[in-house]
Amino acid sequence: MSNSSIPATSAEATEMINGFLGSLKDLISSPAKGAKEIVENGNFIISGILMAAQAAFAGILSLIFAAFHLDMGIGDCIKYFFLSIFFSVLLTGITFGCAMITGMCMKGTNDAKKLLNALSLRCIAVLPFTIIAVPVSFLFSEFAILLVFICELPGLFYEYFGFKAAFGLDESKTAYLSVIVSIVYIIAFAIIFRLIASDLVQTVIYSALSNSFY
């Protein structure tokens, strides 16, 4: 089966999943080797699933904060859930566009599927932290917020190796590209955070700190 094709049978789907799991093991033991394997031979369907899962868990976290910690009504809870999903997808799109334009300016390989696979590496790093943050957020909301921010560090680390494999650039150019994309990502993240999550997080942190004194 082609790495970019949709599996037509259960056997092909199993082959696709087993191939991804093998690459995932390589990514853990050797980030550079595993990232190259996923970028060059990974299936864009799995990459899309990982990104969708990350967006969904971001929405679930917002829903928990709104419903259980801020006692918002059902309408506001649903609004923050879908806003978080939308802006998570938007953030991925901004990162994709910035990386593609920067990579082309640096005379790198122009392959949208490889870049999509490269961006999925961030999801591989971030998703476990986000999944853990969901149950943790019920009891320790401030720690869950900390996990959300901490997980961005390994995400950027894996993205560097993904960009290197996707664009075929040398280490210095890849470093410049990663810095540019990271700056744009941080700016976009800060703007989006300000639009939908700032009040939520400030209220949750204030509530947690207030309760710690009683």
Side-chain angles (χ1 to χ4, degrees), residues 99-172:
M100 178 64 75
I101 293 171
T102 307
M104 291 172 62
C105 291
M106 292 183 173
K107 308 300 182 182
T109 304
N110 183 9
D111 191 319
K113 289 180 181 178
K114 284 186 177 182
L115 180 55
L116 186 68
N117 290 338
L119 293 180
S120 73
L121 293 171
R122 174 185 167 274
C123 295
I124 292 173
V126 169
L127 198 52
F129 289 89
T130 311
I131 292 173
I132 293 171
V134 168
V136 168
S137 64
F138 284 101
L139 298 176
F140 307 103
S141 56
E142 63 275 17
F143 184 66
I145 294 171
L146 183 63
L147 280 175
V148 170
F149 284 101
I150 289 177
C151 70
E152 294 297 335
L153 296 177
L156 294 174
F157 172 75
Y158 281 118
E159 244 182 15
Y160 165 82
F161 292 107
F163 289 152
K164 190 174 187 299
F167 292 107
L169 299 171
D170 59 35
E171 293 183 358
S172 61

Side-chain angles (χ1 to χ4, degrees), residues 1-9 12-13 16-17 20 38 41-53 113 116-117 120:
M1 182 185 67
S2 171
N3 290 315
S4 61
S5 64
I6 299 175
T9 65
E12 290 182 347
M16 179 182 72
I17 294 171
F20 170 74
I38 290 174
N41 302 315
N43 192 294
F44 75 96
I45 297 174
I46 292 181
S47 297
I49 291 172
L50 289 170
M51 294 176 185
K113 289 180 181 178
L116 186 68
N117 290 338
S120 73

